């Protein structure tokens, strides 16, 4: 087996120049809309129908002062973890393919296609890419909050995440689930309040619909939600009779790393009532859906952004698909909230 090809800085920059010209041409028509939204510096600046002037061009929205591509590069395939159900070799295969140099190339391809943000994990790669290769990739890290965690340790953790170059923060989905499962909505609210002291938009993540529901009920002062969304129409979906809240935390019959949104219809219905931006993740149901099915479903259902784990060979087709889908969904039922 041949060794992975090493990408030199010179080769990388030459490739960046070539793809950057194409990206600049595709994005130039969007420049005025993006600049106006960035100058406004508010979530409202990106609200309303998403501006897309050319089919396939990457659209953007605003979360606070951060201009975010509607498609984000999901962190699992940056940090080195893949949902693999019961296929034990998959993570080993991933690590054999995605060398650090391959990750740099993936980030270059993503930025050339208009993707400007990495979601959740991968700060080391983002920092190296921006530093060594002149990139401008943004990063949204998660905040881990544990039951009974003291304020100082949480403050220290938040500061570390801010220092990673964050343009926004969000409470990790597992943390959001566990806190609400334990009835600790007050601790969740405190974590959001502590994070907001850094003058960054702060979101709350979850797999459970109960999390945004309780946040809305108790007026947790978050700026956006990070909530799973995918259809349940695939062969390995947990049968409805076996679904239970927090099954991904507790385990149970019928679930094996294969279902992250147990009630998509209820999720879509509730999010219709929410006026804050919604970043949807697990939209491919950990690989159960083709993007051609999943992306239209997510955006039509109300998501303002989607975070998707992608290999280098997925970047171009997925980026162009998002551009086309968002353009088609300008007048969808849930208004664009970012």
């Amino acid at each position: 087996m041949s060794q992975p090809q090493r990408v030199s800085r010179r080769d990388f920059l030459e490739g960046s120049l070539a793809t950057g010209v194409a990206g600049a041409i595709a994005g130039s028509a969007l420049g005025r809309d993006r600049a106006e939204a960035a100058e406004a510096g508010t979530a409202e600046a990106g609200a309303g129908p998403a501006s897309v002037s050319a089919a396939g061009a990457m659209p953007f929205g605003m979360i606070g002062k951060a201009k975010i591509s509607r498609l984000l590069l999901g962190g699992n395939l940056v940090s080195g973890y893949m949902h693999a159900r019961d296929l034990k070799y998959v993570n080993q295969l991933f690590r054999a393919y995605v060398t650090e140099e391959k990750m740099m190339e993936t980030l270059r391809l993503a930025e050339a296609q208009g993707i400007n943000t990495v979601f959740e994990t991968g700060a080391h790669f983002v920092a190296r890419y921006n530093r060594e290769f002149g990139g401008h990739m943004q990063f949204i890290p998660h905040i881990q909050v544990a039951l009974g965690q003291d304020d100082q340790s949480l403050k220290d953790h938040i500061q570390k995440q801010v220092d990673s170059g964050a343009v926004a923060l969000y409470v990790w989905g597992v943390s959001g689930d566990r806190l609400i499962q334990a009835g600790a909505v007050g601790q969740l609210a405190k974590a959001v309040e502590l994070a907001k002291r850094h003058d960054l938009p702060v979101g709350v993540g979850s797999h459970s619909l109960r999390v945004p529901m309780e946040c809305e009920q108790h007026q947790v002062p978050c700026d956006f939600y990070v909530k799973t969304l995918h259809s349940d129409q695939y062969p390995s979906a947990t049968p409805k009779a076996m679904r239970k809240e927090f099954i991904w935390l507790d385990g149970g019959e019928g679930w094996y790393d294969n279902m992250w949104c147990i009630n998509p219809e209820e999720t879509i219905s509730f999010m219709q009532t929410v006026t804050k931006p919604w970043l949807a993740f697990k939209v491919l149901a950990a690989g159960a859906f083709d993007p051609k099915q999943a992306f239209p479903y997510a955006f039509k259902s109300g998501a303002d952004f989607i975070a998707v784990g992608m290999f280098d060979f997925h970047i171009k087709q997925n980026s162009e698909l998002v551009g086309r889908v968002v353009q088609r969904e300008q007048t969808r039922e849930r208004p664009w909230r970012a």
Side-chain angles (χ1 to χ4, degrees):
M1 180 182 293
S2 62
Q3 295 297 314
Q5 183 178 1
R6 184 172 181 81
V7 180
S8 70
R9 176 175 166 79
R10 179 177 179 179
D11 291 341
F12 185 97
L13 291 175
E14 288 176 351
S16 297
L17 179 60
T19 54
V21 170
I25 294 171
S28 62
L30 295 171
R32 183 176 301 172
D33 289 340
R34 294 178 190 172
E36 290 174 355
E39 288 173 6
T42 64
E44 288 76 16
S51 292
V52 181
S53 57
M58 178 60 66
F60 288 76
M62 301 294 293
I63 299 180
K65 299 177 182 178
K67 181 177 69 175
I68 308 294
S69 51
R70 299 279 179 194
L71 174 64
L72 293 83
L73 194 59
N76 279 1
L77 297 196
V78 179
S79 61
Y81 178 79
M82 290 185 67
H83 291 288
R85 294 177 168 81
D86 56 349
L87 300 176
K88 305 304 182 186
Y89 68 90
V90 170
N91 276 286
Q92 184 179 6
L93 177 62
F94 169 83
R95 289 178 172 84
Y97 178 74
V98 183
T99 62
E100 187 151 335
E101 299 307 318
K102 174 62 74 175
M103 194 65 249
M104 294 299 101
E105 174 68 5
T106 301
L107 290 170
R108 180 185 70 81
L109 291 170
E111 190 167 25
Q113 290 297 320
I115 299 171
N116 74 344
T117 306
V118 172
F119 173 74
E120 186 188 16
T121 52
H124 162 71
F125 292 111
V126 173
R128 182 191 164 194
Y129 168 71
N130 288 340
R131 181 180 64 251
E132 297 184 13
F133 303 112
H136 299 88
M137 192 65 74
Q138 301 179 139
F139 183 50
I140 300 178
H142 66 253
I143 303 167
Q144 295 190 42
V145 188
L147 285 167
Q149 184 176 15
D150 66 89
D151 286 359
Q152 190 56 53
S153 67
L154 180 56
K155 289 177 183 178
D156 292 343
H157 171 59
I158 292 171
Q159 184 65 61
K160 180 179 179 181
Q161 299 301 77
V162 170
D163 292 343
S164 70
V167 295
L169 302 163
Y170 83 102
V171 176
W172 189 36
V174 175
S175 295
D177 289 344
R178 290 196 183 280
L179 291 170
I180 294 303
Q181 184 185 37
V185 66
Q187 188 176 352
L188 176 57
K190 178 183 283 188
V192 170
E193 291 164 359
L194 290 174
K196 285 175 72 72
R197 294 179 184 178
H198 294 273
D199 195 29
L200 293 173
V202 177
V204 170
S206 71
H207 308 84
S208 170
L209 180 57
R210 279 182 53 190
V211 176
M213 292 178 75
E214 295 210 21
C215 285
E216 289 290 289
Q217 179 183 347
H218 294 278
Q219 298 183 332
V220 173
C222 58
D223 300 298
F224 62 101
Y225 290 108
V226 177
K227 170 68 180 76
T228 51
L229 178 68
H230 58 72
S231 168
D232 59 2
Q233 299 302 302
Y234 57 102
S236 61
T238 303
K240 285 190 175 182
M242 296 180 179
R243 297 177 198 176
K244 62 179 182 178
E245 206 67 59
F246 307 112
I247 191 171
W248 44 86
L249 296 178
D250 304 329
E253 185 181 4
W255 188 89
Y256 52 102
D257 188 26
N258 71 327
M259 193 170 196
W260 299 94
C261 183
I262 62 171
N263 47 5
E265 292 85 4
E266 292 88 344
T267 296
I268 293 166
S269 178
F270 175 74
M271 293 305 289
Q272 288 275 1
T273 71
V274 174
T275 60
K276 296 174 181 178
W278 174 17
L279 193 163
F281 70 115
K282 295 289 191 291
V283 298
L284 300 178
F289 288 106
D290 187 282
K292 292 179 181 178
Q293 300 168 287
F295 291 5
Y297 181 84
F299 284 116
K300 186 177 181 63
S301 298
D304 297 295
F305 306 89
I306 58 174
V308 181
M310 293 177 279
F311 287 104
D312 55 337
F313 49 82
H314 292 138
I315 299 290
K316 187 176 188 295
Q317 63 191 32
N318 284 355
S319 298
E320 292 174 351
L321 176 60
V322 165
R324 294 193 299 271
V325 171
V326 170
Q327 186 179 54
R328 288 200 304 264
E329 296 300 334
Q330 295 295 291
T331 56
R332 65 186 191 176
E333 188 173 352
R334 182 179 189 257
W336 291 91
R337 299 299 186 183

